[in-house]
Amino acid sequence: SSSSPRLRRRRPDLLSLMAVQALFEASMYIFVLVFAPAIVAAAPAAARERLPFGKVFSCFMAACAVGSATFSLCSAKGLRAEAFLLPVLLGAAGALYLASSPPAATMLQRALSMSHKPLYLVFCFAAFEAAVGVYFPAVGGLRAAYLPGAQRGAIMALTRVPLNLLVIAVALARDRLGDTGALRC
């Protein structure tokens, strides 16, 4: 087919895009499995029944919208996703690392004068959600640029295999990993 030579020329880009999608989207699913138990575990025992998860989720969705607006601003300025996606992915990884690292958490909590660890976790998780808001439109554009339309569905299905295997492995090992270990995966 006429797209086969194009696919071969873009193979390194294609493999990189598939790897980014599998790894980042796996981290999103793992985050969904872990965020509520991590916040509950960080809260004082007396407050665990009263945690406002509706408000927490609303904050996450607002952060995601901020990320999407950031993508729109970057695009309007003529920046290509290839130019800003790596710092966004590193920021997402950093947010989850800070949420899962007790020494980093203690240092950042002190710097921000946050005495409540659940609030600190919400802050870190909202930063991750802002990165998610940038990620989806950016990767959508990259898919359109690098994945041939006729083969896009098959390539996306292949990307889901390692993504699902990683999420299942972490979910099965969660008792051993704990919330901190799962967030670091």
Side-chain angles (χ1 to χ4, degrees), residues 49-118:
E49 295 294 321
R50 299 179 280 121
L51 291 171
F53 279 108
K55 290 178 183 175
V56 168
F57 188 75
S58 295
C59 289
F60 292 167
M61 292 303 97
C64 195
V66 167
S68 182
T70 301
F71 170 82
S72 295
L73 287 172
C74 290
S75 296
K77 297 245 183 233
L79 292 174
R80 295 178 46 152
E82 293 93 331
F84 61 81
L85 192 56
L86 180 60
V88 168
L89 296 173
L90 292 173
L96 292 182
Y97 174 77
L98 288 172
S100 68
S101 174
T106 301
M107 184 176 68
L108 191 59
Q109 282 175 297
R110 284 185 191 143
L112 297 174
S113 299
M114 290 181 161
S115 60
H116 301 291
K117 188 168 182 192

